[in-house]
Amino acid sequence: MSISSTGASERPGLSAFFHMGLFWFLIATLGALIFFRAGIEELLIAWQLPEYSHGPLIPVLSLLLFLRQLKEHPVTPGVKTDRWPGVALVVVSLLLGALGTFSRIHDIVAYALILWVGGILLISFGWRTGRHFWPPVLHLVYMLPLPGTIYYKVSTSLQFLSSELGVWFLQLAHVPVFLDGNIIDLGVLKMHVAEACSGLRYMFPILSFSYIFAVLYRGPTWHKAVLLVSAVPIAIFMNSVRIAVAGIIVQYYGVEWLEGFTHFFEGWVIFLCCIVILFGLARLMLFLHPDRLSLATALDLDTSGLGTQAARIQHVQPSAALMVTAVLMLGSAAAISALPEPGGHAPARESFLTFPRKLGDWQQAGPREILDARVAKVLGADDYLSIQLVKPGAGDPVNLFMAWYDDQSDGGVHSPEVCLPGAGWEIAWLERTDITAEMGADKPFEINRAIIQKGETRMMVYYWFQQRDRRLAWDFAAKFWLMVDGLTQGRTDGAIVRLTTPIDRQETDDHAEARLKDMLRVLQDPLPRFVPNE
């Protein structure tokens, strides 16, 4: 928003109406709100979750950070010829937003919105000035929800760390405790360290705060880096302390005290404790620094003049780049609104309720397994099957698990790499392998082969992700093809197929794998009826 002292335009030959820079700026903003509405709606939904409840504060904090930086760049009259890089960035944001809209992965639309903000700042100020405002634009990243696959991997890792540290603290306090996966066994109570206990609800806000803290901090650069990276271990530490204190309360005061403690220590209390530790770390580094700066001196907390800076928007100058952007945004918004809703239709398939009880020589043993309500909710599948199959002379049974999703754009398949460790299983060995030739398949057939163990129990696992006619071993590849199919076919359906068998002490790994291969072969014939491959 470079402005002149008189508010004069850069193109005096145009009519006064088209010299209204603020008019074109508002038109571009209105077009963006319409074009990126799917991403904005996705943000509003995500912000209702505990992990992202801090989201609405992020744009406000970014705006305040921007106004503070704006004080360092006074009015610069005159024509600016370096606005077009901003237009290029806006075009990139439109392409990315269109990709997210038509693939029905609305998180991508939200990411594109941040690029648009960066682009409009470059257009308003020009490249030489606008490029200095990257800190408030980058800070907007903290309002975004993590992609589902990354979220579950991060959450699971944090659950493990929090569980192990929490148990370590309990052992230091001489509290009898046993850890099984994410389950902390206190004897009188088993505490499950679920997603809600992973610490993400504290980590996201503290990451945002540490970012702002580092930007405002006027100490050495390496201090800024330490403050940035310290947010993660601080959040993990405080979450582990919370788990340990909960265990101590159960041990010495009883289970009935736990609920009140949990409500008190969740949310802002833990967040404030993290903030105190962050300030303490900054104070310690300053104390050890040769200049011995005070924390008040090192933090630039001057908030005067922000209103004056905000008022500069009324003097925004028109420019060819701004006008082109306004027309482009308005046209894109009109086009995205006029186009029919993207596809997303799931193919016709048979329910797993009709899955045959016999596959070749393999016979279903016992009734179908019903998942625990909590597990089923996390799984989020539209249809699933879990059965045990046995074959005369084959030894141990094979468990067949399949989960089908009509629409994976909101979450979707959870990788066993995440789910199995959460149930206490350790992945002792895992490899991705192509069995196309071995299965005589006409399309690439990739699977994950794993050995998992819990105590002295060992099991072998085969699993893969099914995206139409693609059988994929890598969950990120499955997400990529989900985006491609959503964009080109209007299809966001998919499934996961998993085979598991025990490895008996009296047999080799090859014997267990032979059972899985045999089951895999006889499964291929009926599978397309339940997991369409077209």
Side-chain angles (χ1 to χ4, degrees), residues 366-435:
R368 299 168 187 265
E369 298 177 20
I370 305 299
L371 297 180
D372 177 84
R374 180 186 59 81
V375 176
K377 182 178 179 181
V378 173
L379 180 67
D382 294 288
D383 193 10
Y384 74 87
L385 174 71
S386 181
I387 57 175
Q388 295 279 356
L389 294 134
V390 295
K391 176 182 176 181
D396 287 310
V398 172
N399 175 265
L400 170 61
F401 175 82
M402 296 186 285
W404 168 264
Y405 297 82
D406 290 332
D407 179 11
Q408 299 179 88
S409 59
D410 184 18
V413 173
H414 298 165
S415 172
E417 291 180 57
V418 173
C419 302
L420 289 173
W425 291 95
E426 176 188 353
I427 299 178
W429 172 73
L430 172 67
E431 72 168 7
R432 296 181 175 93
T433 184
D434 190 328
I435 59 171

Side-chain angles (χ1 to χ4, degrees), residues 255-274:
V255 178
E256 62 275 7
W257 287 78
L258 185 59
E259 184 175 355
F261 163 80
T262 300
H263 288 310
F264 178 75
F265 261 79
E266 283 185 350
W268 291 106
V269 173
I270 293 292
F271 175 71
L272 291 175
C273 292
C274 293

Side-chain angles (χ1 to χ4, degrees), residues 91-109:
V91 171
V92 172
S93 75
L94 289 175
L95 294 174
L96 188 62
L99 174 64
T101 298
F102 291 109
S103 64
R104 302 182 72 238
I105 304 178
H106 296 155
D107 286 348
I108 296 178
V109 184

Side-chain angles (χ1 to χ4, degrees), residues 259-402:
E259 184 175 355
F261 163 80
T262 300
H263 288 310
F264 178 75
F265 261 79
E266 283 185 350
W268 291 106
V269 173
I270 293 292
F271 175 71
L272 291 175
C273 292
C274 293
I275 296 301
V276 170
I277 296 175
L278 192 66
F279 271 92
L281 178 61
R283 184 69 189 87
L284 176 62
M285 290 191 297
L286 289 171
F287 178 78
L288 298 175
H289 192 266
D291 295 337
R292 292 290 179 90
L293 296 174
S294 67
L295 188 57
T297 303
L299 276 178
D300 181 10
L301 298 177
D302 180 21
T303 58
S304 62
L306 297 187
T308 301
Q309 300 304 322
R312 287 172 62 177
I313 191 173
Q314 63 183 311
H315 302 299
V316 62
Q317 291 185 358
S319 64
L322 182 57
M323 293 178 186
V324 167
T325 300
V327 173
L328 183 62
M329 293 309 306
L330 203 59
S332 300
I336 208 78
S337 300
L339 291 173
E341 186 72 18
H345 60 279
R349 56 175 292 274
E350 293 185 34
S351 168
F352 285 135
L353 291 174
T354 63
F355 194 82
R357 296 181 59 87
K358 188 174 183 180
L359 297 176
D361 295 329
W362 291 87
Q363 179 76 34
Q364 180 177 328
R368 299 168 187 265
E369 298 177 20
I370 305 299
L371 297 180
D372 177 84
R374 180 186 59 81
V375 176
K377 182 178 179 181
V378 173
L379 180 67
D382 294 288
D383 193 10
Y384 74 87
L385 174 71
S386 181
I387 57 175
Q388 295 279 356
L389 294 134
V390 295
K391 176 182 176 181
D396 287 310
V398 172
N399 175 265
L400 170 61
F401 175 82
M402 296 186 285

Side-chain angles (χ1 to χ4, degrees), residues 111-297:
Y111 307 154
L113 177 59
I114 295 180
L115 293 181
W116 181 87
V117 172
I120 204 69
L121 286 178
L122 291 177
I123 292 169
S124 300
F125 290 91
W127 170 259
R128 282 185 293 274
T129 300
R131 63 181 178 174
H132 297 295
F133 299 124
W134 65 264
V137 176
L138 182 60
H139 180 253
L140 290 173
V141 170
Y142 292 104
M143 74 179 179
L144 300 173
L146 287 175
T149 299
I150 296 178
Y151 172 85
Y152 285 109
K153 288 181 180 293
V154 171
S155 178
T156 301
S157 299
L158 292 179
Q159 288 173 45
F160 292 150
L161 284 173
S162 297
S163 301
E164 292 175 357
L165 280 175
V167 166
W168 184 69
F169 288 139
L170 286 169
Q171 290 171 343
L172 287 180
H174 304 290
V175 174
V177 63
F178 174 73
L179 179 64
D180 182 14
N182 290 336
I183 300 174
I184 299 176
D185 191 347
L186 295 164
V188 296
L189 176 71
K190 290 185 178 181
M191 295 195 306
H192 183 258
V193 184
E195 289 174 28
C197 305
S198 66
L200 284 179
R201 66 178 59 182
Y202 321 123
M203 186 170 296
F204 290 142
I206 192 65
L207 280 169
S208 168
F209 185 88
S210 67
Y211 179 88
I212 295 177
F213 196 99
V215 170
L216 300 180
Y217 188 79
R218 293 184 292 191
T221 302
W222 73 270
H223 283 198
K224 292 175 176 281
V226 170
L227 292 171
L228 272 174
V229 301
S230 64
V232 173
I234 287 174
I236 293 174
F237 170 78
M238 282 307 304
N239 192 48
S240 302
V241 169
R242 182 182 69 85
I243 293 172
V245 173
I248 292 173
I249 288 176
V250 170
Q251 177 70 18
Y252 293 105
Y253 298 97
V255 178
E256 62 275 7
W257 287 78
L258 185 59
E259 184 175 355
F261 163 80
T262 300
H263 288 310
F264 178 75
F265 261 79
E266 283 185 350
W268 291 106
V269 173
I270 293 292
F271 175 71
L272 291 175
C273 292
C274 293
I275 296 301
V276 170
I277 296 175
L278 192 66
F279 271 92
L281 178 61
R283 184 69 189 87
L284 176 62
M285 290 191 297
L286 289 171
F287 178 78
L288 298 175
H289 192 266
D291 295 337
R292 292 290 179 90
L293 296 174
S294 67
L295 188 57
T297 303

